[in-house]
Amino acid sequence: MTAVSPRSTPATDGVDDLFWQASYSPISESDAELERVARSAELPVLLVALAAALDDPSILSEELRPPLTPMDTAPVPHGGMTPQQQERAIDVALAGLKRLRDEGITGVGVLSDERRLELLGFLSGGRDEWADMLSHELALAPAHGGKPDWRVEEVAPDREFPVLVVGAGVGGVAAAYRIAQTGLPYVHIEAGGALGGTWAKNTYPGVRLDTPTFGYSYSFAQRGDWPHQFAEGGEIADYLNEVVDRAGLRDAIEFDTRLSRLRWDDADGVWEATTIDRDGVEKVRRFAAVVSGLGLLDRPHIPEFEGASRFHGDTMHSQEWDHGVDLTGKNVVVIGTGASAYQIVPAIVDQVGSLTVFQRSAPWMLPAPNYHDEVGEVFTWLVDKVPHFAQWFRLWVILTGIEGRAHTVTVEDDWDGAPLSISRKNQELRDYLTSRIEEQLESRPDLLRIAIPGYPPGAKRMLRDNGVWARALLDPKTTVVTSGIARFTETEIIDGEGVGHPADVVIYATGFRPSEFLEAIEVTGRGGVSLHQFWAGNARAYNGITVPGFPNLFLIYGPNVGGVVQGSLHFMIERAAEFAVKSIREVLDRGATGIDVRPEALDRFVDYVDAGSRRMAWGQPYVRTWYQNASGRVTAIWPYTNIEYWELTERVDPTDHEFLP
Ligand code: NAP
């Protein structure tokens, strides 16, 4: 092997990534070992990582460009490269790995603008219109991410502008990070005793991500050494804690402090916020702006069943798991078959004495054989030794998720398969997923009869399947009941056919009340108008962020921004935080007290998202899903790609807003 003389440290000025790694382990493996790596790697990612680290775009020849074949159920390996492309790419990657080794390259620096566009153009198969949005996610891009390009002491040194950030989950932490970067003073409150939001609260057995881990992190905190392909709940809570500590945000958090009331003071142009601490003590403080990071899937939905109050056993909602209750040998009843039940049931089936699952609708499940797997040995090697490989992989997950699986759940005009499917593609998906269920349950016709959903794939959240759900249902201890719940007795749940099911413990995996945004908070805006009266059960916000009449109030993960078949949640959340920061900047620049979105701008946004959802499986009139509110309007989901959201939130359009003096 040639002697190694390490290169000078690459330039990393302006990188906004709390997990930035300046130097990677040197490569010492033989050519044969490197070939094994090249043969097992996701090739577009490895090629682009090598092109960046070697500063050699000639690696990315036109003939190797991945076609980005759309994914029907799971990402297509290598972006759909042909076998010939793959063979050629392996040769190129192997040569690149040898060069990394032989030239002693252990780091990578910020890309030139030209190089950024070349690399992104390669990965995106030439979709140049994606480049700006993708650059937001690429720590190596010269103006990466949403870091504000201003500090308050520069733009408004004499202005007092305290901000309240509510909630320390994924949304609140993103908001606090961006607000802190502006230098604005802020108070950060969290109703619970721990940070992490949903990932602190949901500790039920089996809890883990149902989207790929590498798509589930902040652009400003690109952790590389994730252990699992689909992270366990505790791993995400740990990550959020780590982010907060690395960013120095923890000391600003007031735990056990709940927001109860927000009142806009018209005379002074400020929000008056009432909070209640763990001892029940109320505090009233005034803020120039409020950023709410309150979650969507946060308020448990516990249906009322006759006799439930006289039940003698233990009951718990999936989000309020009581770890003091030992399920060993007990008769356990699980109500619901959504994403939470899907994880709980397989995790407890071996422990319990009997398991009764009340299913109202069967779930659709996408094949994910690797659902419980750790990341592989080669992947770990690449993360350790190829500069920025993990971050390029993260970008790849986000990039391939831009269009995601949307084409499988988009309505085809004149399709006559309703209510079971909405297009030819959707019917094909239905047939494929049905055949998998048939394979899994062929030994039990009774289960098979009730396991095929009666609605189109994609109308509700689809689950990730590695076979554990079917195995749990097939277990002799398990009974699946579809006749509904007639009533509870002290010791049994009586089903719709009058059959009693013994119950020591009842687990409500019955979901949340996602349409009731900010439900627990009394909010009054300009002229004393109540937010909840304005919404009247139909939550609407411009870009999912602002509501007319409620100036300087910004919702992170508000109505109509959730992605289900495409897009990155963290991207949507970060963009909302950035939009809040940009709006505040407009207020400061104008010497105004507030920014208030115009009603007609909100109406336009609502028409836009409603039109989008009408084209998707979940927007069909015969479908019922938590994506919709009580009157059937879809309030939870963003029906477009991250690119459209990028464009909408890129600037604060003054014509859509009123500035208050
Ligand atoms: P969910 O998807 O709303 O599921 C609730 C389940 O309870 C459904 O099967 C529902 O039946 C049933 N149910 C509701 N009311 C009922 C009643 N009165 N009688 C009988 N059954 C009733 O809730 P979830 O499972 O907690 O999941 C909510 C969302 O959280 C997911 O869609 C996902 O976005 C997120 N989540 C994510 C993860 C993850 O990433 N790992 C894990 C868990 C949850 P119907 O289907 O008929 O309404």
Side-chain angles (χ1 to χ4, degrees):
M1 205 164 65
T2 34
V4 169
S5 58
R7 286 188 175 183
S8 57
T9 315
T12 55
D13 290 353
V15 166
D16 180 30
D17 179 3
L18 295 165
F19 286 73
W20 177 261
Q21 198 175 331
S23 114
Y24 290 75
S25 302
I27 297 176
S28 55
E29 282 73 7
S30 67
D31 289 3
E33 284 166 318
L34 295 185
E35 179 169 353
R36 189 172 71 87
V37 167
R39 289 204 170 274
S40 312
E42 179 72 3
L43 289 164
V45 181
L46 179 55
L47 291 177
V48 89
L50 289 168
L54 293 163
D55 194 22
D56 181 1
S58 72
I59 288 174
L60 309 176
S61 61
E62 190 62 36
E63 54 162 343
L64 295 182
R65 238 184 214 197
L68 286 198
T69 309
M71 63 173 99
D72 289 353
T73 58
V76 181
H78 314 294
M81 278 176 155
T82 63
Q84 294 79 2
Q85 276 183 308
Q86 290 177 41
E87 274 311 311
R88 178 82 195 104
I90 288 165
D91 289 345
V92 173
L94 176 58
L97 286 169
K98 287 186 205 166
R99 278 185 60 196
L100 270 195
R101 177 192 63 194
D102 298 343
E103 295 174 30
I105 294 169
T106 57
V108 61
V110 172
L111 304 168
S112 68
D113 224 26
E114 187 193 353
R115 193 71 82 240
R116 166 184 76 92
L117 292 173
E118 277 170 332
L119 270 50
L120 292 176
F122 176 81
L123 267 195
S124 67
R127 291 163 179 81
D128 293 339
E129 65 282 11
W130 291 3
D132 287 345
M133 179 261 149
L134 289 172
S135 299
H136 179 273
E137 299 300 315
L138 176 63
L140 290 179
H144 146 247
K147 185 175 178 179
D149 57 0
W150 57 278
R151 295 267 312 170
V152 64
E153 57 271 20
E154 294 155 12
V155 302
D158 302 325
R159 187 80 190 265
E160 242 187 80
F161 204 91
V163 179
L164 175 66
V165 177
V166 188
V170 176
V173 168
Y177 185 73
R178 291 298 178 215
I179 301 281
Q181 285 179 322
T182 66
L184 286 165
Y186 73 96
V187 169
H188 191 176
I189 59 171
E190 162 57 47
L195 67 87
T198 202
W199 300 106
K201 290 180 192 166
N202 283 274
T203 60
Y204 58 75
V207 60
R208 71 194 307 142
L209 261 184
D210 61 7
T211 53
T213 308
F214 274 85
Y216 202 84
S217 59
Y218 299 115
S219 68
F220 57 81
Q222 302 194 14
R223 178 178 172 180
D225 60 347
W226 288 104
H228 287 100
Q229 311 204 16
F230 294 85
E232 293 174 353
E235 289 166 0
I236 303 166
D238 289 348
Y239 164 75
L240 288 166
N241 274 280
E242 178 90 30
V243 168
V244 163
D245 287 336
R246 288 187 184 215
L249 302 175
R250 188 178 295 272
D251 288 349
I253 303 175
E254 291 177 22
F255 288 101
D256 297 307
T257 304
R258 179 178 297 280
L259 180 66
S260 64
R261 194 145 58 90
L262 275 179
R263 189 184 70 81
W264 177 257
D265 181 327
D266 282 310
D268 292 345
V270 291
W271 283 104
E272 192 181 84
T274 307
T275 58
I276 305 173
D277 72 13
R278 67 174 73 88
D279 302 318
V281 176
E282 270 196 9
K283 208 185 228 183
V284 179
R285 287 173 271 189
R286 288 156 81 80
F287 297 94
V290 177
V291 185
S292 162
L294 294 178
L296 179 76
L297 300 167
D298 184 50
R299 296 161 295 279
H301 162 60
I302 301 184
E304 284 179 18
F305 293 113
E306 190 191 319
S309 59
R310 59 168 198 267
F311 178 61
H312 280 175
D314 293 301
T315 61
M316 55 182 120
H317 185 269
S318 55
Q319 184 176 259
E320 293 161 345
W321 197 266
D322 183 347
H323 291 274
V325 175
D326 182 5
L327 300 182
T328 310
K330 298 266 177 68
N331 298 311
V332 176
V333 168
V334 175
I335 307 174
T337 53
S340 300
Y342 174 81
Q343 295 178 331
I344 293 167
V345 165
I348 64 172
V349 66
D350 291 337
Q351 189 190 359
V352 302
S354 77
L355 186 59
T356 307
V357 178
F358 279 88
Q359 169 185 293
R360 195 164 65 176
S361 328
W364 282 117
M365 298 177 292
L366 297 166
N370 60 348
Y371 188 47
H372 289 162
D373 292 357
E374 296 186 346
V375 301
E377 169 241 333
V378 167
F379 191 91
T380 303
W381 186 96
L382 288 160
V383 169
D384 184 39
K385 303 214 171 186
V386 174
H388 217 64
F389 177 85
Q391 292 71 20
W392 283 111
F393 188 80
R394 175 185 178 280
L395 187 83
W396 181 238
V397 171
I398 290 168
L399 185 157
T400 51
I402 287 177
E403 289 178 340
R405 293 179 278 110
H407 67 289
T408 66
V409 299
T410 303
V411 170
E412 188 178 317
D413 293 333
D414 303 327
W415 179 254
D416 61 0
L420 298 180
S421 64
I422 47 147
S423 70
R424 180 171 308 281
K425 188 80 207 168
N426 189 253
Q427 180 64 42
E428 280 169 20
L429 181 61
R430 177 182 188 90
D431 293 344
Y432 171 61
L433 298 179
T434 300
S435 71
R436 292 188 78 251
I437 298 171
E438 285 167 350
E439 245 170 64
Q440 291 178 329
L441 299 178
E442 64 177 345
S443 62
R444 287 279 301 275
D446 59 321
L447 283 180
L448 189 52
R449 213 177 40 249
I450 56 175
I452 316 288
Y455 54 87
K460 300 182 187 217
R461 177 92 175 170
M462 288 191 268
L463 312 179
R464 305 277 171 173
D465 183 41
N466 61 353
V468 296
W469 176 252
R471 271 204 295 286
L473 299 194
L474 287 167
D475 193 293
K477 281 190 282 192
T478 305
T479 308
V480 183
V481 183
T482 55
S483 59
I485 293 174
R487 63 182 194 282
F488 285 37
T489 69
E490 283 82 354
T491 55
E492 284 186 326
I493 310 299
I494 311 298
D495 71 23
E497 289 171 345
V499 178
H501 301 270
D504 302 314
V505 182
V506 171
I507 296 163
Y508 289 97
T510 41
F512 300 87
R513 291 176 284 135
S515 310
E516 298 167 18
F517 290 85
L518 305 191
E519 173 218 35
I521 303 163
E522 187 191 321
V523 186
T524 43
R526 289 172 75 184
V529 172
S530 146
L531 178 65
H532 296 298
Q533 278 175 12
F534 173 78
W535 275 344
N538 179 18
R540 289 151 291 143
Y542 170 80
N543 293 348
I545 305 170
T546 51
V547 185
F550 300 83
N552 299 2
L553 172 63
F554 305 98
L555 311 182
I556 310 291
Y557 211 47
N560 287 111
V561 295
V564 278
V565 289
Q566 61 194 158
S568 145
L569 166 91
H570 285 68
F571 174 79
M572 300 297 281
I573 279 176
E574 285 187 41
R575 287 300 280 180
E578 290 158 24
F579 192 81
V581 167
K582 287 178 205 167
S583 301
I584 290 172
R585 170 73 194 268
E586 294 288 331
V587 170
L588 296 177
D589 280 354
R590 287 173 162 76
T593 55
I595 178 169
D596 194 8
V597 68
R598 294 187 188 279
E600 53 275 23
L602 172 63
D603 292 345
R604 194 180 67 230
F605 177 80
V606 169
D607 287 348
Y608 175 61
V609 287
D610 286 356
S613 276
R614 275 195 294 275
R615 304 275 311 144
M616 308 307 274
W618 54 78
Q620 301 316 299
Y622 49 84
V623 159
R624 284 304 289 154
T625 152
W626 67 254
Y627 303 167
Q628 305 160 341
N629 64 16
S631 54
R633 190 185 151 250
V634 175
T635 48
I637 305 302
W638 173 249
Y640 302 105
T641 74
N642 281 169
I643 303 294
E644 281 94 347
Y645 200 65
W646 162 270
E647 282 158 8
L648 275 189
T649 49
E650 187 49 1
R651 62 185 278 271
V652 178
D653 184 344
T655 61
D656 280 352
H657 294 92
E658 178 189 352
F659 289 91
L660 310 184

